[in-house]
Amino acid sequence: MHTDAVGIDGMAIWTGKLKLDLADTYAPAQDTDPAKYTKGLGLYASSLPDVHEDIVTMGANAAHRLLRRKGVSPDEIGRIDVATESAFDRSKPASTYVAGCLEQVFEGDFRHANKGERKFACISGTQSLDDAFNWIRAGRSRGRKALVITTDTAFYERNDPGEATQGAGAIAMLVDRNPDVVAFGTHQGHGSADETDFLKPNQQYPSVDGTRSMQVYLARIQEALEDLDAAGADLHPDAHALFLFHTPFPGMVGKAAVLGYNHGVRGTEVGSGLVDRIGPQPRPTAFDDEDAYLDALKTYTGKLMETPHYEEWYERTIAPTLGLSRHVGNWYTGSVHLARASGLQAAAEAGRNLADERMLVASYGSGAQAEIHAETVQPGWDEEISQLTIDEQLAARYDLSFEEYEAIHDAHNHNRETPLSPQTTPEGEFVFDGWGGMGERTYAYVE
Ligand code: CAA
């Protein structure tokens, strides 16, 4: 029995219903080698929203599926937090729209649920889970559950280098006592600094310094590792069944994983064996200029990644978490939570028994902050994960031609009036169906 455990009791995923194939459709139109996307970034396709989809429909559809499957009624929910960096309203939170959608199909209402919208780039989904955990642990929940929804339409400006990493989807998570999927640990490590590498100052598409954004991601992850270490957590790579990272694209996680591994083996037998084999990690103070240091670090990292212990660790704890991301792109606030689903689903398919095993979860948001915490997989996790239906959803996506992709991008552009017919026929889902008298977006449920 895990009586004081609080964590994720169930989750449901909703992917945008369109697919942009990066190798077959995007690369030829950009006149680029497809391997840049499939091997360099580690992405095969992006999920994109059809014209009747947005952050509210995807979030409500994921939540609807989750609440129905778990048999949870509106009066059992004490808070609804939506995490997004694709909000379209600066005052009214997306959670009120989502609750309004759900009230169209459920008996009862969410009148007594505390609702909000969380913003800190991609890390706000994890912050919402933290809020839910704290609310329950503080004794304020009155036995009710929290609904946390991550939902984003991660579009970039056309021809921006980030365009290949786009994605759209939502994840709904139920946070409760005695959870069926994972229990949250109490140790947390943070790394946070005022950075301007990726931001959207009053604009739909992000301003991005891509190279710098990767450096900032790695710097904040390193700081969070040090902070978590100081908090007393066990970071040894062999102590964790899975290590999840925020996944803007799988290639980014390949770089971050090296930091996690290196930090975890420091001062251990594996670490001493590593020094004997490939020498010590280069230190910036040993070099006259930064380029020479970065070159030495790249060479060292390459050698480390080829050591048998690292390769075995990566295949077991990191690779399984990247499977879904490769087919959907960046879901911003949902990306690290998709990594959790991916890792657990792959483990279940491989017949691994993860009950009572630990995982490390590294979240990141531009601007910039990283947070790492541990979770313990709960008995019953595999039953929950078998209900995800994500593979069926991915297979059912409409495969866009490049011209159709261009039209969809325009249709979702807030600064253009480009009406377009949907590519898919909605069935058993919420859809965006127009505008209300005060400029609000309106939604309907299609049977
Ligand atoms: N075959 C194999 N690999 C190839 C290749 C080929 N033909 N061509 C290029 N590659 C490799 C490159 O070597 C590179 O790999 P390494 O970094 O390991 O060297 C990789 O493919 C990407 O190539 P480029 O660096 O040339 O790609 P780019 O500059 O066009 O774009 C990017 C990369 C800057 C990350 C861009 O996608 C971008 O701006 N993305 C948005 C920002 C982002 O995702 N940043 C990540 C950290 S911030 C964050 O995580 C928050 C968030 O969610 C946005």
Side-chain angles (χ1 to χ4, degrees), residues 336-367:
V336 68
H337 309 293
L338 194 69
R340 184 190 292 102
S342 181
L344 292 176
Q345 181 171 276
E349 283 165 4
R352 289 171 72 182
N353 179 7
L354 296 194
D356 297 321
E357 298 266 342
R358 277 158 47 94
M359 311 193 302
L360 281 177
V361 181
S363 305
Y364 174 73
S366 295

Side-chain angles (χ1 to χ4, degrees), residues 165-179:
T165 68
Q166 292 175 146
I171 303 184
M173 292 169 276
L174 203 57
V175 180
D176 200 0
R177 290 187 186 278
N178 299 320

Side-chain angles (χ1 to χ4, degrees), residues 32-37 39-41 85 121-122 156 160-165 197-198 208-211 213-215 217 246-249 251-252 255 298 330 332 335 364-366:
T32 308
D33 180 357
K36 171 170 176 179
Y37 308 120
K39 293 202 165 62
L41 297 177
E85 48 184 304
C122 306
Y156 287 75
D160 184 287
E163 192 179 20
T165 68
D197 54 309
F198 176 110
V208 193
D209 180 341
T211 308
S213 74
M214 294 166 71
Q215 292 164 348
Y217 175 116
H246 166 60
T247 312
F249 53 91
M252 185 74 237
K255 298 177 200 303
K298 199 168 180 184
N330 192 356
Y332 286 164
S335 142
Y364 174 73
S366 295

Side-chain angles (χ1 to χ4, degrees), residues 250-420:
M252 185 74 237
V253 174
K255 298 177 200 303
V258 174
L259 295 185
Y261 179 89
N262 235 349
H263 195 91
V265 299
R266 233 181 251 172
T268 71
E269 220 174 285
V270 177
S272 325
L274 196 62
V275 174
D276 292 345
R277 196 174 179 118
I278 64 170
Q281 180 178 333
R283 299 269 160 230
T285 43
F287 294 85
D288 291 339
D289 70 277
E290 196 182 334
D291 284 348
Y293 162 65
L294 290 176
D295 280 350
L297 192 61
K298 199 168 180 184
T299 307
Y300 169 85
T301 302
K303 284 189 198 161
L304 186 151
M305 289 167 77
E306 285 171 5
T307 59
H309 188 262
Y310 183 86
E311 282 184 340
E312 183 276 323
W313 173 78
Y314 185 92
E315 281 310 308
R316 182 170 44 85
T317 63
I318 305 284
T321 71
L322 303 176
L324 291 176
S325 160
R326 292 189 194 287
H327 297 280
V328 304
N330 192 356
W331 284 9
Y332 286 164
T333 54
S335 142
V336 68
H337 309 293
L338 194 69
R340 184 190 292 102
S342 181
L344 292 176
Q345 181 171 276
E349 283 165 4
R352 289 171 72 182
N353 179 7
L354 296 194
D356 297 321
E357 298 266 342
R358 277 158 47 94
M359 311 193 302
L360 281 177
V361 181
S363 305
Y364 174 73
S366 295
Q369 182 160 301
E371 187 251 297
I372 311 183
H373 68 261
E375 296 179 356
T376 305
V377 183
Q378 299 298 289
W381 67 281
D382 40 354
E383 172 61 26
E384 269 302 309
I385 291 302
S386 71
Q387 315 274 340
L388 281 181
T389 73
I390 181 65
D391 293 334
E392 293 84 337
Q393 291 183 53
L394 295 183
R397 287 175 299 177
Y398 177 84
D399 195 358
L400 294 165
S401 68
F402 193 73
E403 292 68 32
E404 288 167 339
Y405 160 65
E406 290 184 300
I408 280 289
H409 199 290
D410 281 353
H412 284 287
N413 186 328
H414 296 174
N415 295 324
R416 294 193 186 190
E417 285 284 329
T418 41
L420 188 71

